[in-house]
Amino acid sequence: MRSGELARLAGVTVRTLRHYHQVGVVAEPDRDSNGYRAYDVHDLVRVLRVRRLAALGVPLERMPGVLDDADGDGRGTVDLLDDLDRELADRMDRIARQREVIARLRDHRAAPDVPPELAPFLAVFAAAGLPADVVRLDRDQSVLLAHFAGEEGMARLARFYERLSGPALFPVVAAVSDAFSRLGPQTTDEEISTFAETFAAALGPEIGGLGLGSEEDPTPDLGDAVEMLGRHTDDVLNPQQRRALQRLAEILEAATAP
């Protein structure tokens, strides 16, 4: 048989057959007088065995130990089958967790790249008709916060977002967000200070509470998050918005100073 015929009979491509040669699971046969490789039925059996092992998920590098088992009693494959079973069980667990995340995101019509724990609250922001730049800023910053909070801090972060999106605070959040989006070249220094003071009075306690932990609920280390959030806002906000946040930070720092 030529390589094309063997590949057809085995249900593989010639390229796959060549790959089997390269990794050493199927030996390359000698070439006949016209320079073509000559395969026989034993090569076909070998390729079919490789396909069966591949269908079970056996890595190519572990196949020779099975394929070259001279006795054919399978005594050398017990550990391999156990490993495959564990890998499949782990993969099924991962798939189940992925499906849970997908279901949560789909329930809230959330984008697949947002933290699923925050999806319900970000969905509230997105559905409220807030300015597009504010929604985009909230999404990107939530990605940063969720990453640096990690699993340990995610519960605290989710509670923070839950309070902001709840009926008591969300009207305030929406009003502040709308006012923030309107800051621009025509905004005066007095208006910037007024905005920062209004923001601090309305939401300062919630922001400050994010950094207050306890022995049972320790505060996550958000040092890197603060730095990255600063870089992010420096890049996407206009000068008046950056000054407003700087003034807000000064007010909050003064409020917590001893």
Side-chain angles (χ1 to χ4, degrees):
M1 287 179 284
R2 301 286 183 258
S3 59
E5 183 181 5
L6 174 64
R8 179 181 63 81
L9 291 171
V12 299
T13 64
V14 173
R15 183 175 181 179
T16 297
L17 182 58
R18 290 172 181 164
H19 180 62
Y20 290 165
H21 292 327
Q22 291 172 356
V23 298
V25 294
V26 176
E28 292 189 52
D30 296 331
R31 296 179 183 271
D32 56 20
S33 58
N34 60 12
Y36 290 101
R37 294 189 180 93
Y39 296 89
D40 59 23
V41 69
H42 300 290
D43 296 310
L44 176 59
V45 170
R46 179 83 172 193
V47 174
L48 293 176
R49 294 177 69 198
V50 169
R51 286 200 63 193
R52 286 190 172 275
L53 293 175
L56 285 177
V58 178
L60 287 172
E61 64 270 15
R62 298 190 66 173
M63 287 185 185
V66 180
L67 295 167
D68 300 327
D69 180 7
D71 296 331
D73 57 9
R75 286 181 297 180
T77 66
V78 174
D79 290 342
L80 172 61
L81 292 174
D82 288 343
D83 289 344
L84 289 174
D85 189 57
R86 281 192 295 270
E87 290 171 7
L88 286 173
D90 291 342
R91 192 181 309 168
M92 290 172 66
D93 288 342
R94 289 195 300 273
I95 291 173
R97 291 194 296 271
Q98 287 174 316
R99 293 195 67 195
E100 289 176 1
V101 171
I102 289 171
R104 193 183 314 173
L105 293 172
R106 189 164 52 192
D107 286 345
H108 298 287
R109 300 183 181 274
D113 56 347
V114 302
E117 297 85 354
L118 306 183
F121 319 121
L122 293 174
V124 173
F125 299 158
L130 297 179
D133 56 338
V134 172
V135 173
R136 184 166 52 251
L137 179 67
D138 286 338
R139 179 204 63 199
D140 291 351
Q141 296 204 342
S142 73
V143 170
L144 284 170
L145 282 170
H147 172 71
F148 289 109
E151 293 184 6
E152 301 83 2
M154 181 54 71
R156 174 184 290 273
L157 188 60
R159 289 195 297 272
F160 172 71
Y161 272 81
E162 183 178 16
R163 289 193 297 273
L164 292 184
S165 61
L169 281 180
F170 186 69
V172 178
V173 172
V176 168
S177 297
D178 184 65
F180 183 73
S181 71
R182 297 177 185 276
L183 299 178
Q186 305 305 318
T187 306
T188 66
D189 288 343
E190 182 179 356
E191 290 170 332
I192 289 174
S193 294
T194 300
F195 168 82
E197 291 165 2
T198 301
F199 191 133
L203 299 175
E206 288 297 330
I207 295 174
L210 184 61
L212 297 177
S214 64
E215 185 175 346
E216 297 78 15
D217 187 15
T219 303
D221 182 4
L222 295 178
D224 289 333
V226 171
E227 180 183 354
M228 292 300 106
L229 288 173
R231 293 188 186 184
H232 185 259
T233 54
D234 285 346
D235 188 59
V236 301
L237 301 183
N238 63 47
Q240 292 73 27
Q241 290 171 329
R242 292 198 297 271
R243 282 161 50 200
L245 291 185
Q246 182 179 1
R247 177 60 184 143
L248 172 64
E250 293 170 354
I251 295 173
L252 295 178
E253 184 177 356
T256 56

